[in-house]
Amino acid sequence: MAQNSGNFSGNVSRRKFLLTASTVGTVGVAGCTRGSDTNGTTTDSNGNNGTSESEALSGDIRISGSSTVYPIAQEVSRQFQQDHSEVGFNLTRDGSSGGFKNVFIPGDSDINNSSRPIADKEVQQCRDNGFEPVEFFIAQDALTIVVNNEADFIDSISLKELQTIWSPDTAPKTWSDVNSDWPDEPLDLYGAATTSGTFDYFTEAVVGEEGKIRGDFEGTEEDDLIAQGVAGSKYAMGYLPFAYYTNNPDTVKALSVSEGGSEPVEPSLKAAQSGNYPLARPLFFYANMNKLQQKNHLQEFIRFYINEADEDYIANEIGYVPSSKQMVEDNLNNLEAAIAGEYEFSR
């Protein structure tokens, strides 16, 4: 039978996915990402799968897409390969949108990581190319607004102020153009590249319209470079995944965020899990169903990935809210339906 995916879009999606994830246990603040690197392509060694040790798995797995989800995929694949050394991995950080457009939809990758839900047009493009995309919702993020450590004039910001700063309709030049209590100094903005799912999420959640954002900011797929850019400019602002902020806690300052007159909320895994943080968002990966049916080693890797996504290290070492038991069950159901050829993506 067909499996239904979640319905995620903008701020509505944030509230709906948090209900789905409500059975997640208490999570701690993350430390450093284990084994992350700074180049675009890497072959990782990885851990144990759910198969018996006597069952030999071999073949290649190509994973494209989101730099936000990349640290999870990197660590899970490293663990999987520890017991399945004949399975090779090629992981790239192309951005969610870039990965879909340039790699996954053309059929060149098995899996595409994504920090946003797949778009309806992308689903149709997959089908036009002869395969069904299989959705796996695996973690949650607290997208973090950061400023320079010397920016002592600001500790919190509202979604309305963020919209004013980032909207092309207003595009203020100085901080004081937004708030008279802020300095009359030029805004220096850093953010995700337009190929990134983080860019898509931020523009829709903050500006209010997908793809509509001022053009005079420094965009990159390398989240560490956003932190570095903000650290190097006293009057800079940027946004980046919580996991990347926790890798740079002494380099930049995170702002609390308020919505609709509510009290500002600090970015944290607990606040993302509860739904109190206004910029909490879901994280996904998508698999090519044709490749999934054809490749036993891909089936077993995804089964391992799903089961690992609720482990404590997702929070403690990487910096995201892990899967709940319900999310694991739903993802396993999607996997089995896809293997049987009975999965159909729907919202």
Side-chain angles (χ1 to χ4, degrees):
M1 60 184 290
Q3 303 294 306
N4 292 330
S5 72
N7 182 9
F8 304 99
S9 63
N11 290 334
V12 174
S13 68
R14 174 171 59 83
R15 292 178 173 85
K16 286 190 176 181
F17 90 76
L18 287 165
L19 293 175
T20 303
S22 60
T23 57
V24 178
T26 301
V27 292
V29 176
C32 294
T33 300
R34 176 164 44 174
S36 64
D37 64 9
T38 57
N39 53 41
T41 304
T42 171
T43 300
D44 299 275
S45 40
N46 303 261
N48 197 340
N49 187 322
T51 59
S52 66
E53 293 185 6
S54 61
E55 180 182 351
L57 295 175
S58 64
D60 295 328
I61 296 176
R62 172 78 164 87
I63 304 176
S64 57
S66 169
S67 62
T68 302
V69 185
Y70 177 89
I72 306 176
Q74 184 186 48
E75 176 58 18
V76 172
S77 60
R78 186 194 70 79
Q79 292 190 28
F80 184 82
Q81 201 177 44
Q82 286 177 352
D83 284 346
H84 302 288
S85 60
E86 296 302 310
V87 177
F89 288 89
N90 179 6
L91 286 79
T92 56
R93 288 178 284 189
D94 320 272
S96 304
S97 300
F100 278 129
K101 179 180 179 181
N102 300 318
V103 190
F104 184 73
I105 291 173
D108 295 330
S109 65
D110 304 290
I111 291 170
N112 197 71
N113 296 323
S114 186
S115 58
R116 60 162 176 82
I118 190 171
D120 289 342
K121 66 179 181 181
E122 291 166 334
V123 173
Q124 187 57 52
Q125 288 167 347
C126 290
R127 290 171 176 167
D128 290 344
N129 284 342
F131 71 92
E132 194 75 10
V134 185
E135 181 175 81
F136 301 97
F137 167 28
I138 43 89
Q140 303 164 36
D141 177 34
L143 189 64
T144 304
I145 310 300
V146 294
V147 295
N148 188 275
N149 282 334
E150 295 184 20
D152 55 5
F153 59 90
I154 185 170
D155 294 307
S156 65
I157 195 165
S158 69
L159 283 183
K160 185 176 181 180
E161 289 168 330
L162 282 173
Q163 181 184 46
T164 300
I165 290 171
W166 288 92
S167 172
D169 296 334
T170 45
K173 298 297 183 183
T174 67
W175 286 88
S176 60
D177 289 339
V178 183
N179 186 322
S180 59
D181 292 333
W182 294 344
D184 185 21
E185 297 289 347
L187 282 159
D188 187 10
L189 301 177
Y190 294 82
T194 58
T195 53
S196 169
T198 299
F199 171 87
D200 294 333
Y201 171 82
F202 185 81
T203 54
E204 186 173 350
V206 171
V207 182
E209 185 176 340
E210 184 178 348
K212 183 179 181 181
I213 200 166
R214 62 189 296 172
D216 57 339
F217 71 96
E218 293 290 332
T220 177
E221 286 290 353
E222 301 290 339
D223 297 292
D224 286 332
L225 295 182
I226 296 174
Q228 291 173 25
V230 173
S233 174
K234 181 176 180 180
Y235 297 103
M237 168 186 284
Y239 61 91
L240 68 175
F242 184 76
Y244 286 89
Y245 163 68
T246 60
N247 286 333
N248 300 275
D250 300 323
T251 304
V252 293
K253 179 170 75 171
L255 299 182
S256 300
V257 180
S258 63
E259 180 180 16
S262 63
E263 288 296 312
V265 179
E266 292 183 9
S268 70
L269 299 186
K270 290 181 180 179
Q273 176 190 334
S274 68
N276 291 332
Y277 183 65
L279 293 177
R281 60 172 177 163
L283 303 177
F284 305 87
F285 71 86
Y286 293 84
N288 180 315
M289 192 166 85
N290 289 357
K291 293 177 182 289
L292 186 53
Q293 291 180 292
Q294 296 163 5
K295 298 181 178 182
N296 184 56
H297 64 286
L298 179 60
Q299 296 172 17
E300 296 306 324
F301 171 67
I302 291 178
R303 183 173 287 111
F304 178 81
Y305 195 154
I306 291 168
N307 285 309
E308 284 294 296
D310 74 344
E311 295 295 326
D312 289 343
Y313 71 79
I314 301 297
N316 298 333
E317 298 183 27
I318 297 177
Y320 297 126
V321 179
S323 294
S324 67
K325 295 189 181 303
Q326 184 62 54
M327 289 161 63
V328 171
E329 182 179 338
D330 290 345
N331 286 332
L332 289 173
N333 287 340
N334 283 357
L335 174 62
E336 296 307 322
I339 293 172
E342 297 175 350
Y343 177 93
E344 182 180 351
F345 181 90
S346 62
R347 295 201 185 277

